[in-house]
């Protein structure tokens, strides 16, 4: 099928199948569909939209069809995104399964694991969380201590994770555990999957500065994990962990591009208006916005360029660290400017006018962008070491 | 967005090889120290013809190689890396664009092959004050009969001192500040009434201040439609802005590479200074900025190849970012070279000087920031 035909058919299909309510601007977090066993759809439309998209494999457009994906090429996927954007269609499903676990399983999972887990991610049936960080292992993730002992047919997992986003809402966890305490720290880690409903798993929400509790402390007390849930080889989990992180970083970084939900120029024009020459009336804010918009534009172009280069076999690894760093620092800057634009209105925390301080809460949430998935300093360190090859980095 | 294909990678590699061989930074030093009368090497310019660069934006019928703006940018970037001095931007990029898009059949026939053949140097005279401001064009062209009489001053005319022809932006109607009423003329640099003062810049490159006193231009010397030259001028300038942005990417990239090498070579406190995290993180940040700039330059050139009239936004984004990044790159370079960075012996200072000139040329960061915002309606 030519790309033009694909575009035409996609446009028609979307026009017929995307419910009007799913074309309204998303309010961000409250409108995201995460899926999972216990998911309560916000509306019938949200449910229908997910089902229709999943039936075509378009919740994960580029995954192979046999695992619930759409089997689209990069160009087709881009067209799908463009056509969705053109009608303001919301994403039917977001999840850690899509962003992180899926790509890792496609690369490292065995056939049984792919068949079991990928289609459920694609259909939004199972919601995953990420068990990486521990109280003593943040940036220095490889020093993690949660241990998994070999008990013949299963591993026995004991330990604690922290900052586990949505652990209290997730169905399954992909988890890093230490399987060889004697080996050098990178060589004794394994990557395992298990059900959060397994006896011995418990979670405790942590309150954030945004006033919300999207993440938890997660405790494992004699949790039995079947051996077949080991992904890749024993003690070689670090490779998978890093591979998954590159996907996580790329998607967190892309969040800083113009794809964001709020438009800075629109917000500013609404708040301060234009002068007689059509320029935003506040020159200080205008400067901030210009810088942010140009960097957003640059970031998008860079994401696209890296994709094109990867396809042409010119890809260089570690570039996700650049995107993560640039994208998250940009997003923080953007929200500082949103707050400046909003002025004292933006400080409201508990009013209907402010939808319970949505902007202020979003602003605070962006501060985590340059921490989660590896801090900005860690990203710069990766660039210094792996790309620039600086000594001692 | 695109990845470079094999042809373009070959173009880039051969440009790098050619310029490192024929025009390394030491060549700029030679031109500077011998006070060369042209400020560039005419053999190099003829060599660029043999490489197919002089005709890079010219159609094959007029002797060009027609490689497009992406190709142009690759060559410009390499020129930035070795600080190669030549009339490439004025002649092969801007004059070629103006003629190709706005020239009469006769003008095209006469001048495009001459540019391709490296037989003509053509400078673009736009600016009149300390800042780039094409709409502010005040130099007057008064109609008398079929002809025009030009009066006024131009500044920062790059390659004006060696130009055979000058494309001059003049006002045939209206007030300075208006887009309407601007006309372009292509006239002989030796026309009576033109006086040219060569200006040697901080970057050892040359431009000119040019006085026009009752200079005669025939009606057929007009380039494009009289009074409606602004769009053509913009297209011409945008090609130049994309070219200079690419050169800035090269200037910034090369100073970065040299700094990186120094970080791995200089020892203090018993360590390579590149082991200090205070420098590592700054180097990594700068690398990221260079990556962003590269994408913007490429996307501006892709836009120019697609539809020059709609490329203004991308071009301004690229030139803005180029100004910011090149400034950061050369400042960090001098700083990380320590005392050595301040010496004339080390090349880094030459990159810093070139960076300053490129920031001003064809609109500084503020100019392009404003353009970008206006194009986005804020
Ligand atoms: C909102 C949010 C959601 C998260 N979700 C998850 C999740 O779902 N699953 C999960 O496993 N984890 C999650 N995390 C945890 C996240 O990955 C860690 O917070 C992060 O890796 C940093 O670790 P840390 O908090 O222990 O900070 P630390 O590592 O203690 O860092 C403290 C400071 O020191 C700096 N620093 C550390 N090492 C270096 C160094 N070598 N050089 C220079 N500076 C250094 C850091 O940059 C930082 O500024 C989440 C975090 C947040 C904020
Ligand atoms: C114009 C001028 C006049 C001068 N006049 C005099 C004079 O009259 N008498 C005199 O004795 N000296 C003089 N100096 C020398 C001056 O004091 C040194 O240049 C300065 O101390 C830096 O040393 P360096 O040039 O060897 O740079 P280096 O020490 O090699 O530094 C190179 C880079 O590495 C960085 N760096 C070095 N160590 C660390 C670290 N531990 N952590 C992080 N970064 C590090 C530096 O900040 C710098 O960016 C002069 C220098 C200049 C430029």
């Amino acid at each position: 099928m030519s790309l033009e035909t694909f575009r035409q058919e996609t446009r028609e299909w979307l026009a017929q199948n995307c419910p009007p309510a799913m074309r309204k601007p998303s309010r961000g977090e409250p409108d995201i569909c995460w899926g999972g066993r216990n998911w309560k759809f916000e509306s019938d439309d949200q449910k229908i939209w997910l089902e229709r998209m999943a039936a075509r494999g378009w919740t994960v457009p580029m995954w192979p069809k046999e695992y619930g994906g759409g089997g689209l090429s990069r160009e087709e996927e881009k067209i799908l995104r463009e056509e969705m954007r053109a009608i303001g269609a919301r994403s039917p499903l977001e999840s850690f399964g899509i962003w992180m676990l899926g790509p890792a399983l496609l690369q490292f999972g065995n056939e049984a694991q792919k068949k079991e887990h990928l289609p459920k991610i694609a259909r939004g049936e199972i919601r995953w969380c990420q068990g990486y960080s521990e109280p003593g292992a943040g940036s220095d993730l490889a020093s993690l201590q949660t241990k998994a002992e070999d008990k013949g047919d299963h591993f026995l997992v004991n330990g604690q994770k922290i900052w586990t986003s949505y652990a209290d809402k997730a169905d399954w966890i992909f988890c890093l555990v230490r399987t060889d305490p004697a080996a050098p720290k990178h060589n004794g880690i394994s990557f395992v999957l298990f059900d959060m409903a397994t006896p011995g798993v418990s979670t405790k929400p942590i309150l954030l500065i945004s006033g919300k509790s999207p993440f938890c402390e997660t405790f494992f007390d004699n949790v039995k994990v079947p051996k077949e849930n080991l992904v890749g080889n024993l003690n070689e989990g670090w490779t998978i962990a890093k591979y998954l992180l590159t996907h996580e970083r790329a998607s967190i970084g892309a969040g800083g591009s113009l794809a964001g939900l709020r438009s800075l120029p629109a917000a500013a024009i609404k708040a301060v208006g234009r002068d007689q020459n059509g320029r935003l009336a506040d020159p200080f804010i205008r400067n901030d916005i210009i810088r942010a918009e140009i960097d957003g534009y640059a970031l998008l172009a860079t994401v696209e360029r890296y994709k094109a280069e990867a396809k042409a076999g010119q890809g260089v690894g570690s570039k996700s660290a650049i995107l993560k760093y640039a994208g998250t620092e940009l997003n923080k800057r953007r929200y500082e400017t949103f707050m400046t634009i909003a002025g004292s209105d933006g400080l409201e925390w508990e009013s209907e006018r402010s939808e319970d301080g949505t902007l202020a809460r979003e602003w605070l949430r962006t501060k985590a962008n340059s921490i989660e998935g590896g801090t900005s300093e860690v990203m710069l360190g990766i660039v210094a070491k792996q790309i620039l090859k600086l000594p001692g980095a | 967005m695109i990845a470079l294909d094999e042809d373009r990678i070959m173009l880039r590699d051969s440009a790098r090889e050619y310029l490192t061989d024929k025009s390394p930074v030491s060549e700029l030093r030679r031109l500077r120290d011998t006070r060369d009368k042209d400020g560039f090497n005419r053999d190099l310019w003829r060599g660029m013809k043999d490489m197919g660069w002089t005709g890079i934006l010219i159609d094959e019928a007029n002797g060009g190689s027609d490689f497009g703006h992406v190709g142009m940018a690759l060559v410009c970037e390499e020129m930035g890396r070795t600080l190669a001095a030549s009339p490439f931007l004025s002649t092969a990029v801007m004059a070629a664009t103006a003629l190709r898009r706005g020239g009469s059949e006769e003008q095209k026939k006469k001048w495009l092959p001459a540019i391709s053949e490296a037989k003509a140097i053509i400078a673009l005279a736009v600016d009149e004050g300390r800042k780039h401001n094409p709409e502010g064009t005040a130099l007057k062209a008064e109609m008398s009969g079929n002809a025009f009489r030009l009066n006024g001053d131009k500044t920062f005319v790059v390659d004006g001192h060696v130009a055979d022809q000058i494309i001059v932006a003049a006002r045939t109607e209206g007030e300075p500040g208006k887009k309407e009423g601007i006309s372009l003329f292509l006239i002989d640099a030796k026309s009576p009434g033109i006086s040219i003062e060569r200006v040697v810049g901080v970057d050892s490159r040359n431009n000119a201040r040019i006085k026009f006193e009752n200079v005669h231009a025939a009606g057929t010397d007009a380039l494009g439609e009289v009074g409606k030259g602004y769009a053509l001028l913009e297209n011409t300038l945008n090609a130049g802005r994309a070219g200079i942005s690419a050169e800035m990417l090269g200037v910034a990239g090369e100073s970065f590479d040299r700094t990186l090498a120094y970080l791995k070579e200089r020892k203090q406190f018993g360590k390579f200074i590149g082991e200090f995290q205070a420098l590592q993180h700054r180097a990594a940040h700068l690398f990221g900025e260079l990556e962003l700039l590269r994408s913007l330059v490429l996307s501006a050139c892709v836009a120019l190849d697609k539809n020059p009239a709609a490329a203004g936004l991308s071009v301004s984004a690229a030139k803005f970012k180029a100004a910011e990044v090149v400034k950061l790159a050369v400042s960090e370079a001098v700083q990380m070279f320590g005392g050595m960075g301040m010496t004339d012996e080390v090349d880094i200072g030459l990159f810093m000087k070139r960076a300053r000139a490129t920031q001003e040329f064809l609109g500084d960061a503020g100019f392009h920031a404003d353009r970008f915002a206006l194009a986005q309606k804020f």
Side-chain angles (χ1 to χ4, degrees):
Chain A
M1 194 193 307
S2 80
L3 289 178
E4 243 343 280
T5 322
F6 177 79
R7 184 184 293 280
Q8 200 50 43
E9 289 182 4
T10 300
R11 186 174 298 172
E12 282 162 21
W13 187 86
L14 287 171
Q16 280 163 22
N17 290 280
C18 181
M22 293 296 105
R23 303 182 195 190
K24 278 197 257 159
S26 165
R27 289 167 297 156
E29 185 63 32
D31 288 333
I32 293 177
C33 175
W34 291 101
R37 279 180 206 142
N38 304 316
W39 183 250
K40 291 201 184 41
F41 287 98
E42 163 201 81
S43 62
D44 288 347
D45 284 336
Q46 192 185 52
K47 182 160 185 277
I48 291 169
W49 181 222
L50 171 59
E51 286 168 358
R52 286 180 182 167
M53 286 291 275
R56 291 181 82 86
W58 283 3
T59 51
V60 282
M62 286 173 68
W63 291 12
K65 283 192 168 156
E66 50 189 317
Y67 306 127
L72 300 191
S73 67
R74 189 176 72 89
E75 291 81 5
E76 289 167 336
E77 189 256 359
K78 187 161 173 249
I79 289 175
L80 173 59
R81 264 191 291 132
E82 285 167 2
E83 292 301 320
M84 285 176 66
R85 204 178 310 133
I87 60 166
R90 290 181 192 172
S91 161
L93 181 67
E94 298 288 347
S95 74
F96 287 20
I98 294 177
W99 302 332
M100 302 181 218
L101 180 62
L105 279 184
L106 281 168
Q107 186 78 9
F108 298 100
N110 61 34
E111 197 51 34
Q113 289 165 340
K114 289 193 237 182
K115 282 248 155 65
E116 168 64 21
H117 297 296
L118 293 174
K120 291 180 184 170
I121 293 173
R123 293 194 299 262
E125 289 167 8
I126 292 293
R127 183 170 179 183
W128 288 84
C129 65
Q130 177 186 31
Y132 273 35
S133 307
E134 297 179 7
S139 297
D140 184 13
L141 179 61
S143 66
L144 60 94
Q145 295 299 328
T146 293
K147 66 173 185 227
E149 292 163 279
D150 191 337
K151 297 282 175 187
D153 66 336
H154 68 271
F155 295 109
L156 195 65
V157 176
N158 278 289
Q160 186 199 336
K161 296 290 171 181
I162 195 168
W163 321 126
T164 327
S165 295
Y166 308 111
D168 51 342
K169 303 199 172 64
D171 307 310
W172 276 64
I173 187 167
F174 50 91
C175 196
L176 295 179
V177 292
R178 186 155 301 282
T179 36
D180 184 353
K185 64 180 180 180
H186 295 95
N187 301 340
I189 294 171
S190 298
F191 190 101
V192 295
L193 315 172
F194 53 92
D195 195 322
M196 289 293 278
T198 317
V201 178
S202 61
T203 61
K204 195 171 145 219
I206 302 169
L207 188 65
L208 287 194
I209 51 176
S210 63
K212 311 227 161 154
S213 300
F215 58 16
C216 302
E217 290 179 280
T218 307
F219 303 92
F220 308 125
D221 182 16
N222 288 325
V223 177
K224 283 186 184 173
V225 175
K227 278 269 177 79
E228 68 254 30
N229 290 0
L230 171 73
V231 180
N233 294 328
L234 192 70
N235 295 325
E236 289 176 14
W238 186 246
T239 311
I240 307 174
K242 278 195 305 186
Y243 179 83
L244 184 143
L245 278 173
T246 61
H247 282 268
E248 176 178 9
R249 286 166 187 164
S251 52
I252 296 174
S257 64
L258 297 178
L261 303 162
R262 294 176 184 269
S263 151
L264 274 172
I269 286 162
K270 202 169 152 208
V272 302
R274 296 184 169 97
D275 69 13
Q276 64 270 35
N277 297 315
R279 292 183 174 91
L280 192 68
D282 184 324
F284 184 79
I285 289 177
R286 186 169 185 257
N287 274 343
D288 275 358
I289 298 181
I290 293 168
R291 282 171 194 281
E293 291 287 296
I294 290 180
D295 278 341
Y297 195 67
L299 196 63
L300 268 185
T302 305
V303 170
E304 296 291 331
R305 178 163 70 84
Y306 286 174
K307 281 189 195 162
E309 288 173 354
K311 199 181 165 214
Q314 305 165 6
V316 183
S318 318
K319 289 205 166 168
S320 66
I322 297 169
L323 299 177
K324 171 40 168 97
Y325 168 68
T328 57
E329 293 297 333
L330 170 61
N331 207 32
K332 290 197 296 183
R333 266 162 53 205
R334 293 179 71 240
Y335 270 86
E336 287 298 334
T337 305
F338 277 123
M339 288 300 280
T340 306
I341 292 168
S344 58
D345 290 350
L347 305 176
E348 291 197 17
W349 191 249
E350 291 187 341
S351 64
E352 232 173 83
R353 249 187 326 270
S354 67
E355 294 183 346
D356 273 337
T358 301
L359 176 62
R361 289 171 204 271
E362 282 180 14
W363 160 68
L364 288 164
R365 177 63 182 82
T366 62
K367 300 305 177 194
N369 295 159
S370 52
I371 300 170
E372 58 198 325
T375 68
S376 283
E377 291 74 23
V378 167
M379 295 305 106
L380 292 172
I382 290 174
V383 173
K385 178 180 181 155
Q386 293 178 12
I387 301 180
L388 306 183
K389 313 250 183 275
L390 282 165
Chain B
M1 187 51 80
I2 56 164
L4 297 183
D5 57 22
E6 265 174 48
D7 285 351
R8 283 165 169 155
I9 289 174
M10 237 164 69
L11 173 66
R12 181 195 65 196
D13 292 349
S14 62
R16 179 166 302 184
E17 201 179 318
Y18 182 80
L19 290 164
T20 352
D21 179 35
K22 295 285 192 296
S23 185
V25 177
S26 56
E27 176 64 4
L28 181 71
R29 287 184 181 279
R30 185 191 66 80
L31 294 167
R32 178 189 74 172
D33 297 342
T34 60
R35 300 180 187 278
D36 186 274
K37 70 175 186 353
D38 292 332
F40 74 99
N41 183 339
R42 288 189 187 261
D43 287 338
L44 178 72
W45 183 231
R46 279 185 287 269
M48 290 184 179
K49 175 201 79 178
D50 298 333
M51 298 294 288
W53 301 347
T54 47
I56 207 155
L57 294 180
I58 295 173
D59 50 314
E60 286 171 21
N62 284 306
S65 55
D66 214 358
F67 243 139
H69 296 87
V70 174
M72 166 204 77
L74 295 173
V75 173
C76 286
E77 181 180 347
E78 297 308 322
M79 292 176 175
R81 285 187 167 273
T82 67
L83 301 177
S86 85
F88 182 78
L89 259 180
S90 62
T91 303
V93 174
M94 292 199 286
T97 301
L99 280 155
R100 186 176 182 176
R101 308 216 171 274
S104 64
E105 280 315 306
E106 262 163 56
Q107 285 168 327
K108 284 189 203 174
K109 281 238 169 62
K110 183 153 183 208
W111 295 111
L112 287 174
I115 294 174
S116 302
E117 288 295 310
K119 285 187 177 139
I121 294 174
I122 307 181
L124 178 69
V126 186
D127 293 345
E128 300 179 7
R130 31 179 280 286
K131 284 288 173 185
H132 182 60
N133 179 14
E135 292 158 44
T137 296
L139 182 141
K140 260 211 165 72
E142 277 168 307
M143 178 116 83
S144 59
N146 272 343
F148 296 84
R149 219 178 26 242
L150 276 55
N151 279 290
D153 298 334
K154 292 288 179 183
T155 60
F156 204 14
V157 182
V158 167
D159 300 321
H161 65 301
V162 285
D164 304 300
Q165 298 277 317
I166 299 170
I167 296 173
V168 56
R171 186 158 289 286
T172 39
E173 283 160 67
E175 291 302 308
K178 292 264 178 290
K179 293 175 183 168
E180 300 77 26
I182 291 175
S183 309
L184 301 184
F185 295 94
L186 174 66
I187 50 185
D188 195 311
K190 298 202 174 59
S191 306
I194 293 186
S195 42
I196 299 178
E197 178 199 343
R198 176 183 175 187
V199 176
V200 178
V202 63
D203 55 346
S204 306
R205 302 282 275 270
N206 294 196
N207 63 72
R209 291 180 182 258
I210 306 185
K211 251 188 183 354
F212 292 77
E213 283 169 310
N214 289 322
V215 176
H216 172 87
T220 49
D221 292 337
L223 195 54
E225 212 181 323
V226 171
K228 301 211 166 94
Y230 184 76
L232 177 61
L233 179 59
E234 266 303 301
N235 281 349
T236 303
L237 289 168
N238 280 339
R241 289 161 180 158
I244 195 70
S245 301
E247 185 181 328
M248 293 159 91
L249 175 61
V251 171
E254 181 67 18
S255 1
F256 178 71
D257 288 352
R258 290 176 182 227
T259 308
L260 198 57
Y262 192 68
L263 294 180
K264 296 174 185 177
E265 159 195 318
R266 169 74 172 164
K267 279 191 161 176
Q268 284 289 281
F269 302 99
K271 289 180 177 172
F272 294 109
I273 55 172
E275 292 180 59
F276 299 121
Q277 198 181 54
L279 303 191
Q280 289 178 347
H281 283 192
R282 278 156 60 189
H285 169 76
L286 180 53
F287 179 78
E289 291 291 288
L290 285 164
E291 285 292 286
L292 295 181
L293 174 58
R294 176 174 301 285
S295 308
L296 286 179
V297 169
L298 187 59
S299 90
C301 291
V302 168
L304 282 168
D305 281 338
K306 228 188 232 165
N307 177 11
L313 179 87
S314 327
V315 168
S316 281
K319 180 70 169 63
F320 169 87
K321 188 77 183 170
E324 301 278 289
V325 175
V326 83
K327 182 168 62 180
L328 180 66
V330 294
S331 307
E332 290 287 60
V334 170
Q335 179 64 20
M336 293 187 194
F337 268 85
M340 289 304 282
M342 289 299 297
T343 63
D344 185 64
E345 183 196 332
V346 169
D347 288 341
I348 283 301
L350 297 173
F351 284 88
M352 175 168 266
K353 294 172 190 173
R354 181 62 186 155
R356 185 62 244 172
T358 57
Q359 279 166 261
E360 275 313 314
F361 186 46
L362 304 179
D364 66 2
F367 176 92
H368 287 288
D370 187 49
R371 282 282 174 112
F372 176 86
L374 288 175
Q376 304 259 66
K377 307 218 169 353
F378 71 91

